[in-house]
């Protein structure tokens, strides 16, 4: 059986592992060494040194993550934001222009709106669901198009296939933040994306105990990002690499349970009289449910909803819940709940949030791996009048 024909479940466990087990160790040991004996490397980037992200702990992860998305190469980074900022800085130079989806993760939005001008970089926002509007935003200097698999916090699913086709037609690099889907539900390189980015702080690691990121995709582009990372210094610490490596092995079992629980919870909420709106791509009522079904193997563990009682009712719900922890971040084994207006999207003006449809009372739930029946019972008691 060739490596390529193995299923994702098997790749998670075996892909990239050392061919000869190190001292017979089944678990990958932590290589807590900043530097390695010189063995004749002729290029700076081939010297083995911790900041160059090429210690055994890094190399194993690079091979495993590339295999998960069926890509040529991968790179791990010190955080999801290090992956995003380093990728954009590697691909864009002063004078260049980026097309980016309008409803992005708050940190990415802040980076491209607040830091780009001082670097001589320009950005225009596009509605990822409206490809006919994109050509009018294109400039001679446009170099890349940047989208997210599912938008945060409204769980919109843009026209991802059109984004790839548009990028090819106009010679742009296509980049997607695939954090919300994880490779279990969507593998962007197999759909033609040049680069797929992850905050591995979320599903990839899955245990809410590290910060890490990854860039997965075309080998020539990953190499460019790797060289930029060596300059900017956002390398992943070997101990965090070890934890990510351990966490990612259970990605498929965690995410499949999260997919199933989130769908059950979304259906429960949709029928609840106190709930006015549920955003989850797995619901037939989601405006892009058919597209999500075509593209994804599962609909993910993230959902958001609004209550008829607005902000006051949302605050009461958060106070009453016993299982989901009121905390930012997502994708871990613990269910986490937030109001995006005060966490992930607090950097946007109220006006911008309203334009994007993010109400002050919107609640976002990251479904963990607790029993779905217990989560539904908890939501039920917290929503009681
Ligand atoms: N991308 C998405 C979709 C996110 O939700 C986040 C963080 O919440 C990031 C990127 C940034 O990741 P990190 O916090 O690991 O830097």
């Amino acid at each position: 059986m060739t490596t390529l024909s193995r299923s994702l479940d098997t790749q998670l466990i075996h892909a990239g592992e050392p061919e000869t087990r190190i001292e017979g160790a089944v678990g990958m040991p932590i290589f807590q060494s900043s530097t390695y004996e010189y063995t004749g490397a002729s290029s700076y980037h081939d010297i083995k040194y911790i900041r160059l992200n090429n210690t055994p702990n890094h190399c194993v992860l690079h091979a495993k993550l590339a295999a998960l998305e069926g890509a040529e190469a991968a790179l791990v980074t010190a955080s999801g934001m290090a992956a995003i900022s380093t990728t954009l800085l590697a691909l864009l130079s002063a004078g260049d222009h980026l097309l980016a989806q309008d409803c992005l993760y708050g940190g990415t939005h802040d980076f491209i709106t607040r830091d780009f001008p001082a670097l001589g970089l320009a950005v225009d926002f596009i509605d990822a669901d409206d490809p006919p509007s994109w050509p009018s935003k294109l400039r001679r200097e446009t170099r890349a198009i940047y989208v997210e698999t599912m938008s945060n916090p409204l769980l919109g699913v843009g026209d991802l296939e059109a984004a790839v086709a548009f990028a090819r037609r106009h010679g742009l690099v296509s980049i997607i933040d695939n954090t919300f889907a994880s490779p279990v539900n969507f593998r962007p390189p197999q759909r033609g994306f040049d680069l797929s980015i992850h905050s591995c702080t979320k599903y990839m690691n899955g245990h809410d105990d590290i910060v890490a990121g990854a860039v997965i995709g075309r080998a020539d582009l990953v190499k460019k990002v790797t060289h930029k990372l060596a300059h900017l210094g956002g390398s992943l610490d070997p101990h965090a690499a070890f934890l990510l490596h351990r966490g990612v092995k259970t990605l498929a079992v965690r995410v499949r349970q999260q997919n199933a629980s989130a769908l059950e919870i979304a259906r429960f909420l949709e029928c609840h009289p106190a709930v006015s709106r549920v955003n989850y791509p797995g619901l037939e009522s989601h405006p892009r449910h058919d597209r999500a079904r075509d593209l994804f193997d599962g609909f993910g563990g993230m959902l958001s909803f609004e209550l008829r009682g607005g902000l006051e009712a949302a605050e009461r719900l958060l106070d009453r819940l016993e299982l989901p922890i009121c905390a930012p971040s997502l994708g871990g084994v613990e269910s986490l709940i937030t109001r995006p207006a005060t966490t992930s999207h607090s950097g946007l003006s109220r006006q911008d949030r309203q334009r994007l449809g993010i109400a002050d009372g919107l609640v976002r739930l990251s479904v963990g791996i607790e029993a779905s029946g217990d989560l539904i019972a908890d939501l039920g008691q917290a929503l009681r009048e």
Side-chain angles (χ1 to χ4, degrees):
M1 188 190 261
T2 67
T3 310
L4 271 178
S5 68
R6 288 190 176 142
S7 77
L8 181 112
D9 300 65
T10 307
Q11 303 270 31
L12 281 165
I13 308 301
H14 294 289
E17 298 293 318
E19 275 182 18
T20 309
R21 289 184 206 295
I22 299 156
E23 295 291 330
V26 173
M28 180 71 188
I30 306 173
F31 281 78
Q32 200 67 52
S33 178
S34 60
T35 189
Y36 291 77
E37 209 168 0
Y38 178 70
T39 54
S42 52
S43 144
Y44 171 70
H45 293 284
D46 295 332
I47 293 167
K48 256 199 182 173
Y49 178 62
I50 196 163
R51 178 170 41 78
L52 302 180
N53 241 40
N54 56 12
T55 76
N57 292 104
H58 296 114
C59 295
V60 166
L61 273 174
H62 292 161
K64 196 182 287 291
L65 298 191
L68 295 185
E69 292 201 345
E72 291 172 355
L75 169 75
V76 286
T77 59
S79 66
M81 278 312 299
I84 292 164
S85 55
T86 308
T87 297
L88 292 174
L89 294 176
L91 299 179
L92 305 173
S93 311
D96 286 348
H97 173 250
L98 173 74
L99 286 178
Q101 179 173 338
D102 55 8
C103 192
L104 288 173
Y105 164 63
T108 310
H109 184 271
D110 262 19
F111 175 61
I112 61 183
T113 51
R114 296 187 190 193
D115 295 324
F116 265 26
L119 299 165
L121 301 173
V123 59
D124 267 306
F125 289 101
I126 51 168
D127 177 347
D129 202 18
D130 185 18
S133 67
W134 301 347
S136 66
K137 302 277 177 73
L138 198 64
R139 298 189 197 167
R140 229 185 3 202
E141 304 79 27
T142 310
R143 297 284 170 264
I145 182 166
Y146 186 105
V147 295
E148 292 182 355
T149 313
M150 294 175 215
S151 70
N152 179 16
L154 296 173
L155 284 308
V157 181
D159 196 337
L160 306 182
E161 286 177 316
V164 169
F166 186 79
R168 292 218 170 127
R169 201 171 323 122
H170 298 288
L172 315 180
V173 177
S174 51
I175 311 169
I176 184 164
D177 182 331
N178 195 36
T179 301
F180 269 40
S182 94
V184 176
N185 290 332
F186 188 56
R187 293 163 295 282
Q190 292 181 342
R191 293 286 186 147
F193 276 95
D194 295 312
L195 290 176
S196 159
I197 291 182
H198 288 267
S199 165
C200 297
T201 316
K202 319 296 195 246
Y203 290 101
M204 289 284 217
N205 176 59
H207 291 75
D208 292 317
D209 52 10
I210 60 162
V211 60
V215 183
I216 305 174
R218 265 173 49 190
D220 59 330
L221 298 176
V222 171
K223 188 170 178 187
K224 255 183 146 169
V225 181
T226 303
H227 288 187
K228 186 62 80 180
L229 190 81
H231 295 160
L232 298 180
S235 345
L236 188 64
D237 176 78
H239 190 253
F242 163 78
L243 286 173
L244 174 56
H245 185 178
R246 186 173 73 162
V248 82
K249 289 187 182 180
T250 56
L251 182 71
V253 285
R254 284 186 280 108
V255 168
R256 289 199 191 109
Q257 162 134 0
Q258 286 162 315
N259 287 342
S261 290
L263 182 57
E264 260 188 77
I265 293 170
R267 288 197 169 129
F268 163 77
L269 289 171
E270 196 173 41
C271 296
H272 198 287
V275 177
S276 56
R277 173 180 167 195
V278 183
N279 306 304
Y280 185 65
L283 291 176
E284 288 74 12
S285 59
H286 187 282
R288 293 298 175 206
H289 174 65
D290 288 348
R291 177 182 293 158
R293 218 182 32 214
D294 284 348
L295 289 173
F296 307 148
D297 291 342
F299 302 109
M302 298 298 299
L303 57 99
S304 60
F305 55 97
E306 283 177 54
L307 301 180
R308 293 194 196 284
L311 175 59
E312 210 178 296
E315 285 181 333
R316 198 167 51 237
L317 171 82
L318 264 57
D319 274 353
R320 286 181 179 173
L321 281 169
E322 290 170 9
L323 290 176
I325 302 163
C326 188
S329 201
L330 60 111
V333 291
E334 295 89 1
S335 292
L336 300 180
I337 196 155
T338 58
R339 273 203 306 111
T342 56
T343 51
S344 55
H345 291 70
S346 57
L348 298 185
S349 67
R350 187 148 192 266
Q351 228 176 3
D352 278 347
R353 282 199 300 272
Q354 275 172 349
R355 186 176 47 77
L356 293 168
I358 306 170
D360 283 348
L362 183 80
V363 174
R364 190 190 78 177
L365 178 64
S366 167
V367 178
I369 62 166
E370 302 93 340
S372 56
D374 288 339
L375 290 170
I376 288 173
D378 194 22
L379 283 161
Q381 67 76 21
L383 284 170
R384 256 197 339 255
E385 272 307 308

